[in-house]
Structures are given as structure tokens and as C-alpha cells.
Amino acid sequence: MSSLSRELVFLILQFLEEEKFKESVHRLEQESGFFFNMKYFEEKVQAGEWDEVEKYLSGFTKVDDNRYSMKIFFEIRKQKYLEALDRQDKAKAVEILVNDLKVFSTFNEELYKEITQLLTLTNFRENEQLSKYGDTKTARSIMLIELKKLIEANPLFREKLVFPTLKSSRLRTLINQSLNWQHQLCKNPRPNPDIKTLFTDHTCTPPNGALAPTPVTLPPAAVAKPTAYTPLGPHGPFPPAAATANANALAGWMANAAASSSVQAAVVTASSLPVPPNQAVSILKRPITPPASMVDYQSADHEQLMKRLRPAQSVEEVTYPTLRQHTNWSVDDLPRTVACTMHLGSAVTSMDFHPSHHTMLLAGSASGEITLWEVGMREKLVSKPFKTWEMSACSLQYQASMAKDPPQVSVTRVTWSSDGNFLGAAFTKHLVHLYAYNGPNDIRQHIEIEAHTGQVNDLAFAHPNKQLCVVTCGDDRLIKVWDLTGRRLFNFEGHEAPVYSICPHQKENIQFIFSTAIDGKIKAWLYDNMGSRVDYDAPGHWCTTMLYSADGSRLFSCGTSKDGDSFLVEWNESEGAIKRTYAGFRKKSGGVVQFDTTQNHFLAVGEDNQIKFWDMDTNSVLISTDAEGGLPSLPRLRFNKEGNLLAVTTADNGIKILATAAGFRSLRSVDASSFEALRSPIEPTAIKVSGSSSVANLSPVNPKVERSSPVRPSPVHNGVDPTARSMEKPRTLDDVTDKTKPWQLAEILEPTHCRLVAMPDSTDGAHKVARLLYTNSGVGVLALGCNGIQKLWKWGRSEHNPSGKATANVVPQQWQPTSGLVMTNDVTGVNLEEAVPCIALSKNDSYVMSACGGKVSLFNMMTFKVMTTFMPPPPASTFLAFHPQDNNIIAIGMEDSTIHIYNVRVDEVKSKLKGHQKRITGLAFSTNLNILVSSGADAQLCIWSIDTWEKRKSVPIQLPAGKAPNGDTRVQFHSDQIRLLVSHETQLAIYDASKMDRIRQWVPQDALPAPISYGAYSCNSQLVYASFCDGNIGVFDADSLRLRCRIAPSVYLSPALLSGSQAVYPLVIAAHPQEPNQFAVGLTDGSVKVMEPPESEGKWGLSPPVDNGMLSSRTGSSSNATNTPDQVQR
């Protein structure tokens, strides 16, 4: 049953309950199996109505479904049996024994025999185990407590024990709203309609003259029990809609779209579109249940979704928009005078003005070329002819299509991001190109994405969850959302024809995407993978584009039918219906008309070799212009943000710029001197990274994305690709720097060159730090010493640290409960020199699990008390990891090379995984790939299915010649859950875990020649922190594994320790969970230190530049950049 049908059942249950149809309520609960009414169940158990108890249970589970269900039925039947014995009704007891309890004998024959023997006793209380059995009422109450625990633990009852939170009479409210909408669409609405039936759609009989529509209230007589009903909702006079129009904007399109809302959709709601009139259209398509691992971009807002989308008055009240107040506008506000003409040499297919440089125009052409123009100077600033940036990384299908001679690739769409830092281009073959904009004649390749199979029809930037993303659609009928690293975030399926256009938008905190297909279907999507919220027919039933007015308050669409009829309409968002249809098109067009909006007041369409303008509030054409001639039949057009310039395509492959008086002044102001100022490099201080831009969060990745994987497997060593590629580096915030200076490796040599804080009372020379974690909240650091003792340091809120998060600016305090307890592991009989400490922290920071050669202990993080111990050696535990979706499941790596999948709740090892030859040294889960990756001291990586725990693959890490396969190997997943960081004393490596292909490798050399002691991703996976056995710490670009910063041991060790006979160095590194440039190190002397770059810098060095795939040779002597490929592998 679909999700919406399920919710309809809940609405019916509420209706039946409110109308006192008690028996019907419980029959529907049982038959649907959607809601287990614990109160009703308790009543029947307390009343001893055992047949009804089992009948009700049968709607949710059967005896042999699982061990919880078996226990539930056994307890009920045992109680029924004991009550029969207590009544001395031996015949009934024998009947229960034979008919009801016999089924359990196959599972526990001894128990069944013992139960049978009770028949021989005069009083069953003579049995020692039943000696405390009291009276029947007490026994039932005690049994109920046990039954409730079993039901709550039973996975078959999950999400069935709580009834959704609904407003009262929700079903009647929806019916009433439907009647209101039907009444509004009446051709001759009457002021007080008489509703007599729900079996057919409501229409008013025509009176003598049409009257204004009034709200409909379902009368008492309209429902089955007239005496039990009051009217569904009293309606007073309608207030003006202006105040509520924005809040109600999407209620009709996406009613109750929130995934976390108890009612996801107005299932019984219907609406109509006037094309054709009174055509009933379902408001919502069925949502698709999302996978458990999918990120919900709007979960924080979903609970309040309907409050924001609906008016402030009663939810039953429906308002109708009124016309806006007209302002004094003039046709002189429209750019109609030709200012200049520019020739491109190929037909222009798409244009977009820069959002802040209002005279800078981006254009794409049929030849595949992208050009950037300064229209004030009629100058072409940049030209980017089409080429595939990395053919080898593309699919075979794409490679085959490009092998044709000559390959014809055109631009379908060019667009700027809202901050103007990025521009995107979509092409007629598979690809999307994203460029970083650094200045008027400096646009750099950022990433190439093979986005769709066939043509990519549209591209737009959006900001779900304040993260800059790219939305694309194509001939493969899909809409996809990508982050700026090329990782696919969402894949929206549901269109049955190629998707023609997309329109991302945001209403208050609700972010969504409209899409149109060439079959004329309009759909809407939230960023939640739960399917389309809208399924409408666009006028013309063919190619349609949707746009909002600049202030986001009004929605328009424009398109053409296959017969050549064009339509320009405004939509009434509150009802999902067409509000206004604009007239003025010629009868037939030979293609699809294009349009744009400007100044929140005007619409412009290119049609009939001219540009036609409409006032948004007037149906007829306001004025038109042929731009002094030379326009094609259907010219393309684009306004700049201020609306004072209009770019229009010409028939001779050019662009005309039309301007208002203000536009002419803007063009004249762009003289040579001011324009040269724009050419200078952008200083770092000029870039303000706001919440709406994700530039600061970009991860430099391989700038080509396969459709099947976000990374391209290729053997790259020490950040240098053996095959030189003329490819530009992806842009990060680091790139927006002064490019006149040669790049140098950042070397931190003094404590004053960074921020550093040592944990108080942490130094213990006899017991080195073996494991180190930040708390998930980021407010503390937890260290496990090789003696099995755990220490916790916390930062508190203060004037110097208002966030209370971990920081190198403030010294934290070692935290202990008032009881003075210390978190100490059981090390009885353990040789601490040989023990391998291990630790894992629960997601909510409530519990920490650790071991040090002995039993695994589960500690309460507030009290430090040991909650339980398990898994006594041998073998000893060597690595611990919580299952990402169930804190009761723990993966435990063992000393004997096995991995135990252990269920804490039932104290049972569910599976034992065998595949390694030596002890387990690392475990990492990927919910995206549904796998567990394990690493061992045998230098092997094993991949296990989370579903079946079967081994999928085993691969050895590639060791230097002559190196024995031993030493700790550790694994950690990138935030995309696909790339995998592997660290070993001989190397750092990045793998594509979907295929277990190695993509990058770095080996110790030059400035960092010592063995690696630990490696870890930063929280945003942009950096890799690595510690070395000589005390150095390296900071690497995560994607390229190029060294960007070296931190010398002199930074954090005293001169006495540096000159001492005992080497002190970091054994472990932990990255802060929210601050990407903060990390902590645990040292061999037992101390723990937190490091951050200077506040003036904000980051650990700069990304090394790329020149044809090789690092620039202008580097410091300590950089690894000068290595050639044949020098790298040692």
C-alpha cells in the first residue's frame, strides 16, 4: 500500500474514533496493521478476552515471525492455561495445552513437559517457579508489563505504536477544503451553496447573473450521522489575501509535503486546471519511501512546514488572492533601444547576465562554445570551445557517441550561481561543465560531470540546506542534484518523458524544484527523495519553462504545443491552478517560445521576429519591439538583474543589447580604467562566504565524474598523475588568492606560528595515548591510554569561548563526575605491552565502549559507571565500531583476525566474519554502499555486505618492494561514503570503495621521510592529517594527496623533549567534527594537544597549484612537488 493510502487509513481511524464507531476502529487497526492500539490491547488482556487479544495481535504478527512474537503469544497462552488451572477447569486446561501451547514444544520440549506436569498438581503454586503467583488480576498486570516490553522491542511493531499527531476532524477539514475549491471553480458560484452530497463534484445551478464565490461549509446533512455532526468549519467573510498569499503559496501544490509530518498528503483533495476547464487533477503523486541512509535536507523545517505554507487563520478557511495594487510604471522602464550588437559566429542557444556585474553576459552557442562578454565595451573576455576534459573518465556510451565524425555538441543552457562565483554549462551530449569565476578574464575549469544519458536539457544552481548545488535534467527523464565536488545528492525519478526544464525555488524555509517534461507534465520535488509532490498538465502539453518573479512571489510559465500554439500564464500557487492567461501570440510558432521576467512587473517573450512585453497584471500585450530588425522568428532573450538591459539573439548568430536610459548610463560607466580594476586578482578579503555559498566547503576532487561513481580510478602517486593532463584545477577558497605570488609549501616551525593548547594533567610518560576521539558534539576530547584508562577533557562556555566547542584558544578542564570515578578498563591478567586498546563512541555521546586486552566495557559518559562488560578474551578485541544505523549492533575486530557482529541488547554474536590472516586494525561502515570495510595487520582490505555479512572482495594494499605485509592498516570513509582513506606506515592511499580501485597514493619522502603513525580525514573531508614517527605532522589536500603544510615537532614539543633520548611523536590524530582546520594529537609521552592555524590565516597552507597535471616547480625545498612519476614509487 502506498504511503498516501496508509495516511488515508489514519484519517479514517480518526474519523471513526471521533464518531464513536469503536468496533470499526479496532477492526480497521487490526486489518490494516498500521497502528497497534496499546490501550485497547491492555483493556482486552485485563478483561481476559483471550480470543480477541490473539485476533487483534494477528493483524500485526504471527507466532513464528520472530522470537519476540513467539514470547508474546507464549505468555498470553500460558496465562490463559494457568487461569484455567486456577479455576480447577482441567478440561479447559487440557484443551489449551493441546491446541495452543503444543506449538511451542518444538522449540522447547522440556518447558512444554514442565507445563504439562502442572496438570498433576492440586494447586500449580506448588511448583517452585509459580509459588509467587497471586490472584488473576495481579498476574495479568504483571504479564502486561512484560508484554509491553516485548511489543516495543519487536521490530514488527516499530513505528506502529504511536498514532500520528493530527488536528481534530482532519478528514472533514480536507473534504471541506475540496468543496471550497470546487465552489471557487463554479462558473456561476452562489453565495450560500446548498451541499447535499459528496458522491459527485459540487456545482452551483446558474442564477440570473454570476455572484462572487463564497466559502463552502459542509452542512450537517451531508454526512451519514446528521445528529452527530456540527458544521465542518464556520467561515466568516474573506480577509484580503495579500497578507496570507506568501504563506499559502505552496499549500495547493505541496500540501503536507513534510516527510516528518504525520499527514504527508491531502489524499482526498482534488483541484482543477482551466485547460481544459474543470479537469480534475490529483494534487500529489505517491511519495517514495526514502532509503535509511538518505540525507534529509529539510528535516529541521518539516515539522513546521504546513504552519508556514498556510494562512494564519483557521486551517479550514480558504482565501482567494486579490489583484495587487498598481504602481505607476511606464513603458520607458522597458529596455527597447538597441545599444550595441555583438557577433558570435554560431547560433546563440542560451544567455545569462552576471548577478552583480550587470553588464557582463555569459553566452552559449550551437557550436558548444561558451563566451563571456563585457557588453559595455563590446569585448569578448573569455572563449571556451567545447572539449571533453577527461575522455578516459567518461562512460563507454559517451566515448562511442563522440567517436562519430564530426561530433556535434551544442550548449543547451548557461547560467551563473546566485553569488556569481561559479558558472555552469549544459550540453547536448551527457555533460555539464562547471567553471569557477575569479575575474572577468579568469574562469577556471572546476568540474566536469557526466550528468545524464543523452542530452542535458537544463541546469540551475540551488541552495538546499544552504549548500550550493547544481540541479540538472535530461533526455533520460531524470532530475539530479549534485554538490560542487560532483557527488550526486539526489536522483528524482517520475517523469515519463524527457525533462525539458527545471525551476529551483525557496518559499521561506521550504526548498523545492519544479520540473517540466516534453509530455507537458509539471512535477514538484522536495529535497527528500520521496517522489513528486505535483502532477499537473501544462498548457499546450509540450515544452514549457517556469520562472518566478524576481521577488519570488509570483509564478509564471511559458511554452508551446506541438501544433505551434504558445501559452504564457500565471499560476495561482495556493491552488495549483492557472490564475491568468496572457493573450497576444500569433496563431502558430515553428518552435518553442522563450520568455523572461523583470522588475517584478514585466514579462517578455521572443516571438514573431520581435520582443513582446506584458504587464504582469494585464492580459494583453503592453508593447512590442523588433529591435531595429534582424531578429529570428523566435528570439531568445535575457534581462540583467536590474532590468535595464535586455540581451536578444539575432538571426545572423549575434546578440543585440537593448537598454533603458539607466541601462545606457550603466554601459557608459564601464570605461577602460574601471574595467582594468576588475581584471586584477581577487584578494581573499573580497570573498565573503555566506551561508548561501558552499565555496568554503568545497573539496577539491578529480574534475571528472563518472555516472556510476564520484571518482575516477587511476593510479596516481604522491599527487602526480603519470599521464600529464592539460586540465585545470578545481577551485576552492584557497584559489581566490593573490595569484602573483609563487606557491610555497607552508612550514610551521615555531609554536607562535599556530594556535596550540595542551590538555592539563595529560602527560604520563609511562602510558602513551593509544586512541583519541573528539566527542560528536565537538565540546570534548576523549583519550584512551595503553593502560586502559580513559580521560575526558571538556571546554565550557565562556567569554573567550561563547560556543563552548573545543578550541586551541582556551585551556579545557579534565572532566570527572562528582563520584570521582575513573573510566578504567578491565586489564586483569593482561600484558599491557601486547594489548591493543580500542574505543568507540555512541552517536549521542552517551556511551563509550572500549577495551584494552580484556573484556569490552560499556561506560556511561555522564557517570563513568560501567554499564556492562562482554566479549571476554581470548581472543581479545582490537577494534570497535558502532553500526551506523543501530547502536545495538557493534562490529568487533578480534586478535585472532575474525570480526564479530555483536548485538548488545540480546548479548549475542550474530555473525563471525573470517577473511584476514592477522589481527583487525580498522573497521569502517558505508551506508551509501551498504558495506563494511575491514583492515588488518596483514595489509589486507576486506569488503563485507551489511545485509548478509558475506565477504564481497579482498584486496591487498600495494606495499613497497621487499616490505613484508604487516603493520597496522587503518581505514576511514570520506564524507561521500564512497572514497576510502587507507593509512599504513608506508603510505596514504585513496580508494574508490565501490570497486576497491586505488585512485591516489602518497609515500613518505623528502620533508616527511619517516614512517606514518596515523592518518585521518578532516571533518569535511577536504584535508588529510597525517602524523609521522619523527614527530612531523603533514596536512594534505584530501583529493590529490599533495602536501600543503608541514608542522614540525618543534611546534608542540619542548627543547628538552626534542633533545631527549626517548623519541616523542604522535601515535594518533583526531579531527574535530565541525571545525575542518582543528585536530588533536595523542603522543607517546601520554600528552594530548589540540592545534589550529593562526586566526589570521584560518587554514593550513594553500593548495598546491597544478600545471598540466604536475605541481608547479616553484616550491620550497621541503615540498614533494618536484618528484617525477618514476621517482615516486619506492
Side-chain angles (χ1 to χ4, degrees):
M1 184 179 286
S2 73
S3 176
L4 298 187
S5 298
R6 176 188 175 93
E7 293 183 355
L8 180 55
V9 171
F10 282 115
L11 297 179
I12 295 170
L13 284 172
Q14 183 196 44
F15 174 81
L16 294 174
E17 179 72 27
E18 290 173 343
E19 296 309 312
K20 312 300 182 188
F21 294 112
K22 294 295 185 183
E23 291 301 314
S24 299
V25 169
H26 302 311
R27 288 288 72 78
L28 182 55
E29 289 168 351
Q30 179 233 319
E31 289 181 12
S32 68
F34 291 161
F35 172 64
F36 185 83
N37 191 325
M38 189 69 82
K39 182 179 178 182
Y40 174 72
F41 180 72
E42 290 176 7
E43 289 174 359
K44 294 304 175 184
V45 170
Q46 291 285 18
E49 297 180 25
W50 305 118
D51 289 344
E52 174 58 24
V53 167
E54 289 210 19
K55 183 179 179 182
Y56 189 71
L57 270 174
S58 69
F60 303 88
T61 185
K62 299 180 179 61
V63 176
D64 57 354
D65 278 346
N66 57 43
R67 61 192 189 87
Y68 299 103
S69 299
M70 185 176 294
K71 180 72 170 166
I72 291 168
F73 280 97
F74 175 75
E75 292 295 332
I76 291 169
R77 294 176 183 182
K78 183 185 75 172
Q79 179 64 28
K80 182 167 62 168
Y81 176 66
L82 293 177
E83 289 183 16
L85 291 176
D86 210 23
R87 296 192 306 267
Q88 300 299 316
D89 189 348
K90 294 292 179 76
K92 183 65 174 176
V94 170
E95 179 187 331
I96 295 169
L97 186 67
V98 173
N99 296 334
D100 296 339
L101 291 170
K102 180 70 174 177
V103 66
F104 302 106
S105 65
T106 57
F107 302 100
N108 194 331
E109 190 172 354
E110 291 300 318
L111 179 61
Y112 183 72
K113 288 179 180 178
E114 189 175 349
I115 291 173
T116 304
Q117 289 173 359
L118 296 178
L119 287 168
T120 64
L121 302 177
T122 306
N123 186 338
F124 63 80
R125 293 173 180 82
E126 296 172 17
N127 182 292
E128 184 179 353
Q129 295 182 28
L130 297 172
S131 59
K132 295 183 180 180
Y133 184 94
D135 59 83
T136 298
K137 183 177 180 181
T138 303
R140 289 175 181 173
S141 297
I142 293 171
M143 180 188 66
L144 258 177
I145 295 172
E146 180 66 17
L147 289 179
K148 289 173 70 175
K149 290 180 181 178
L150 289 168
I151 289 169
E152 289 168 358
N154 194 330
L156 295 176
F157 289 82
R158 195 168 295 155
E159 299 179 359
K160 296 182 179 181
L161 300 178
V162 178
F163 196 85
T165 304
L166 306 177
K167 290 189 176 181
S168 60
S169 305
R170 178 62 182 158
L171 182 59
R172 287 180 288 172
T173 297
L174 292 173
I175 294 172
N176 200 49
Q177 290 173 338
S178 174
L179 293 172
N180 276 329
W181 290 332
Q182 292 175 29
H183 182 56
Q184 189 214 2
L185 296 172
C186 288
K187 292 182 178 178
N188 300 289
R190 298 174 60 185
N192 293 296
D194 184 16
I195 308 294
K196 297 183 180 299
T197 181
L198 298 178
F199 294 159
T200 59
D201 286 350
H202 161 71
T203 56
C204 294
T205 54
N208 294 326
L211 299 174
T214 59
V216 178
T217 300
L218 187 65
V223 193
K225 292 179 67 179
T227 57
Y229 283 94
T230 55
L232 284 185
H235 293 274
F238 282 125
T244 61
N246 188 50
N248 197 35
L250 293 179
W253 292 85
M254 289 190 263
N256 287 2
S260 62
S261 173
S262 55
V263 181
Q264 288 187 1
V267 182
V268 297
T269 305
S271 182
S272 301
L273 281 175
V275 185
N278 298 326
Q279 177 188 357
V281 183
S282 170
I283 281 285
L284 298 173
K285 278 292 211 183
R286 84 276 178 267
I288 303 167
T289 304
S293 63
M294 186 55 62
V295 176
D296 185 350
Y297 270 77
Q298 298 169 184
S299 58
D301 301 317
H302 277 180
E303 189 175 341
Q304 301 298 322
L305 178 63
M306 285 312 295
K307 294 180 182 178
R308 292 170 178 166
L309 295 184
R310 294 187 181 279
Q313 63 265 26
S314 165
V315 72
E316 298 176 5
E317 195 165 310
V318 180
T319 61
Y320 306 104
T322 58
L323 286 178
R324 296 172 174 232
Q325 294 296 319
H326 280 269
T327 314
N328 291 325
W329 293 91
S330 164
V331 292
D332 293 333
D333 296 314
L334 290 168
R336 293 178 296 123
T337 306
V338 176
C340 63
T341 301
M342 300 169 297
H343 293 281
L344 275 74
S346 179
V348 179
T349 54
S350 180
M351 300 176 292
D352 196 23
F353 278 98
H354 192 281
S356 54
H357 299 313
H358 301 305
T359 60
M360 190 175 296
L361 179 67
L362 177 65
S365 68
S367 66
E369 182 184 29
I370 301 165
T371 51
L372 184 62
W373 297 79
E374 173 47 63
V375 298
M377 300 180 67
R378 288 76 162 167
E379 181 181 349
K380 183 194 295 184
L381 306 176
V382 177
S383 173
K384 295 284 185 181
F386 174 80
K387 65 176 180 179
T388 306
W389 295 352
E390 280 194 271
M391 181 65 76
S392 61
C394 294
S395 67
L396 293 177
Q397 182 179 356
Y398 175 78
Q399 292 183 42
S401 69
M402 294 302 290
K404 297 177 182 178
D405 188 27
Q408 185 60 46
V409 179
S410 301
V411 175
T412 56
R413 176 82 155 127
V414 292
T415 188
W416 290 96
S417 62
S418 58
D419 57 11
N421 287 333
F422 291 90
L423 60 96
F427 298 95
T428 52
K429 287 189 182 293
H430 297 240
L431 299 184
V432 164
H433 284 172
L434 299 185
Y435 290 87
Y437 172 77
N438 287 342
N441 38 9
D442 184 7
I443 63 174
R444 297 186 176 191
Q445 293 176 7
H446 178 70
I447 198 164
E448 179 179 69
I449 303 173
E450 188 170 356
H452 295 272
T453 302
Q455 180 164 303
V456 184
N457 291 320
D458 202 1
L459 172 148
F461 288 94
H463 289 84
N465 202 34
K466 298 183 179 180
Q467 177 188 7
L468 183 60
C469 293
V470 178
V471 186
T472 62
C473 66
D475 278 354
D476 55 7
R477 307 178 183 181
L478 300 175
I479 300 108
K480 300 182 183 183
V481 182
W482 314 82
D483 68 13
L484 293 198
T485 69
R487 180 168 63 103
R488 190 179 68 195
L489 303 176
F490 295 96
N491 189 69
F492 298 129
E493 301 181 28
H495 277 293
E496 297 176 356
V499 186
Y500 177 73
S501 72
I502 45 178
C503 178
H505 194 61
Q506 176 172 338
K507 284 285 185 181
E508 298 184 2
N509 288 332
I510 310 305
Q511 295 158 328
F512 54 93
I513 304 166
F514 278 119
S515 63
T516 67
I518 64 171
D519 59 359
K521 291 294 183 182
I522 298 174
K523 295 182 183 291
W525 320 78
L526 292 175
Y527 294 89
D528 59 5
N529 269 8
M530 292 187 66
S532 170
R533 300 310 210 278
V534 164
D535 189 359
Y536 279 111
D537 288 320
H541 302 274
W542 197 39
C543 298
T544 296
T545 304
M546 304 185 82
L547 285 177
Y548 275 89
S549 57
D551 61 6
S553 64
R554 303 176 74 172
L555 176 63
F556 304 88
S557 73
C558 181
T560 305
S561 71
K562 288 183 179 179
D563 297 329
D565 297 317
S566 296
F567 300 88
L568 176 63
V569 301
E570 180 179 5
W571 292 88
N572 186 328
E573 286 184 295
S574 64
E575 299 162 25
I578 291 175
K579 174 182 177 181
R580 176 181 286 106
T581 300
Y582 298 90
F585 292 99
R586 69 176 184 176
K587 289 189 177 180
K588 298 293 179 183
S589 295
V592 181
V593 296
Q594 305 293 319
F595 86 119
D596 200 3
T597 72
T598 187
Q599 302 177 44
N600 299 313
H601 193 78
F602 296 111
L603 301 166
V605 173
E607 194 245 4
D608 197 15
N609 305 95
Q610 56 187 320
I611 307 300
K612 298 179 179 179
F613 299 95
W614 282 264
D615 184 304
M616 288 181 178
D617 297 324
T618 306
N619 291 18
S620 57
V621 174
L622 177 65
I623 199 170
S624 61
T625 179
D626 64 359
E628 301 178 2
L631 302 188
S633 173
L634 298 173
R636 299 176 182 275
L637 66 156
R638 189 70 172 171
F639 287 103
N640 70 351
K641 191 172 183 180
E642 292 183 331
N644 55 25
L645 298 178
L646 176 63
V648 182
T649 59
T650 65
D652 59 353
N653 301 335
I655 299 172
K656 285 189 177 184
I657 303 299
L658 311 186
T660 63
F664 274 101
R665 288 193 296 272
S666 177
L667 293 173
R668 285 193 294 268
S669 68
V670 186
D671 55 28
S673 59
S674 64
F675 189 61
E676 280 303 316
L678 286 174
R679 294 179 186 269
S680 62
I682 301 175
E683 295 296 328
T685 54
I687 300 297
K688 303 295 184 183
V689 181
S690 67
S692 63
S693 173
S694 67
V695 175
N697 297 321
L698 293 182
S699 172
V701 299
N702 187 357
K704 176 69 198 84
V705 179
E706 285 189 49
R707 302 185 73 249
S708 61
S709 172
V711 288
R712 179 183 68 84
S714 61
V716 179
H717 304 288
N718 287 26
V720 182
D721 192 333
T723 308
R725 299 187 299 272
S726 57
M727 175 179 64
E728 297 175 33
K729 183 183 182 298
R731 176 186 188 238
T732 67
L733 190 62
D734 299 341
D735 296 321
V736 190
T737 56
D738 188 347
K739 300 171 185 60
T740 62
K741 297 179 181 178
W743 179 86
Q744 285 190 325
L745 173 72
E747 296 198 274
I748 312 295
L749 304 177
E750 302 291 339
T752 55
H753 295 167
C754 70
R755 289 178 286 160
L756 174 72
V757 65
M759 303 300 99
D761 304 319
S762 65
T763 304
D764 183 356
H767 300 294
K768 56 193 176 186
V769 177
R771 296 289 180 264
L772 190 65
L773 298 172
Y774 276 93
T775 59
N776 293 299
S777 60
V779 301
V781 170
L782 181 65
L784 171 61
C786 64
N787 58 353
I789 295 176
Q790 292 166 132
K791 295 180 180 180
L792 175 65
W793 293 271
K794 284 188 175 182
W795 282 258
R797 295 182 186 273
S798 66
E799 181 182 349
H800 299 292
N801 187 25
S803 70
K805 301 282 186 182
T807 174
N809 295 332
V810 176
V811 178
Q813 292 184 333
Q814 186 174 350
W815 194 88
Q816 274 188 294
T818 53
S819 64
L821 282 177
V822 176
M823 285 191 284
T824 306
N825 278 283
D826 173 29
V827 292
T828 306
V830 174
N831 182 346
L832 292 178
E833 293 296 324
E834 297 179 359
V836 179
C838 49
I839 189 170
L841 185 63
S842 65
K843 292 178 184 176
N844 59 5
D845 294 334
S846 297
Y847 302 97
V848 63
M849 174 176 59
S850 60
C852 189
K855 296 177 183 177
V856 178
S857 299
L858 186 67
F859 295 91
N860 184 306
M861 282 282 282
M862 291 299 294
T863 64
F864 287 9
K865 289 181 179 178
V866 177
M867 309 301 293
T868 186
T869 59
F870 49 90
M871 303 298 288
S877 304
T878 57
F879 204 92
L880 303 170
F882 281 102
H883 192 291
Q885 295 165 332
D886 187 348
N887 267 345
N888 292 310
I889 304 296
I890 303 165
I892 306 176
M894 310 300 287
E895 192 175 37
D896 67 353
S897 78
T898 62
I899 302 165
H900 291 190
I901 306 302
Y902 176 75
N903 189 316
V904 178
R905 182 189 289 273
V906 298
D907 189 21
E908 183 180 339
V909 175
K910 293 295 187 181
S911 297
K912 188 179 290 188
L913 315 183
K914 297 180 180 180
H916 288 276
Q917 305 303 315
K918 296 182 181 179
R919 73 174 186 276
I920 304 301
T921 58
L923 295 168
F925 284 95
S926 169
T927 51
N928 275 8
L929 298 177
N930 216 30
I931 59 173
L932 167 68
V933 176
S934 60
S935 59
D938 55 0
Q940 290 279 330
L941 305 175
C942 291
I943 296 85
W944 313 86
S945 165
I946 291 178
D947 294 329
T948 62
W949 299 116
E950 294 178 352
K951 187 166 76 170
R952 291 185 182 176
K953 197 172 185 180
S954 178
V955 295
I957 67 170
Q958 297 180 18
L959 297 173
K963 173 67 179 176
N966 54 32
D968 288 358
T969 307
R970 295 188 173 84
V971 286
Q972 182 187 359
F973 270 103
H974 187 282
S975 57
D976 66 10
Q977 293 275 291
I978 295 175
R979 279 169 282 184
L980 181 75
L981 172 66
V982 178
S983 60
H984 183 265
E985 63 182 70
T986 65
Q987 64 189 274
L988 298 172
I990 306 292
Y991 284 75
D992 175 0
S994 65
K995 310 181 196 71
M996 284 313 292
D997 290 330
R998 197 188 70 198
I999 307 162
R1000 297 280 190 273
Q1001 184 187 48
W1002 183 91
V1003 298
Q1005 61 190 285
D1006 295 342
L1008 300 173
I1012 299 166
S1013 59
Y1014 206 89
Y1017 273 125
S1018 62
C1019 63
N1020 61 2
S1021 299
Q1022 290 186 26
L1023 305 174
V1024 170
Y1025 297 114
S1027 57
F1028 295 81
C1029 294
D1030 61 359
N1032 277 298
I1033 298 169
V1035 183
F1036 298 79
D1037 270 339
D1039 180 63
S1040 64
L1041 288 185
R1042 292 189 173 103
L1043 181 65
R1044 57 189 284 162
C1045 180
R1046 179 179 75 92
I1047 303 169
S1050 55
V1051 171
Y1052 60 89
L1053 296 180
S1054 67
L1057 286 174
L1058 287 170
S1059 60
S1061 59
Q1062 190 71 32
V1064 177
Y1065 61 91
L1067 269 180
V1068 62
I1069 285 185
H1072 191 283
Q1074 288 106 32
E1075 296 294 334
N1077 285 290
Q1078 183 188 134
F1079 65 90
V1081 291
L1083 307 180
T1084 53
D1085 68 348
S1087 63
V1088 176
K1089 304 193 177 182
V1090 170
M1091 297 187 194
E1092 291 184 274
E1095 288 182 324
S1096 59
E1097 299 283 339
K1099 56 185 176 290
W1100 299 106
L1102 301 177
S1103 297
V1106 179
D1107 184 11
N1108 292 332
M1110 300 287 292
L1111 285 173
S1112 169
S1113 60
R1114 296 176 299 173
T1115 61
S1117 60
S1118 61
S1119 171
N1120 61 358
T1122 57
N1123 290 308
T1124 58
D1126 58 342
Q1127 290 177 313
V1128 172
Q1129 191 65 41
R1130 300 181 177 180

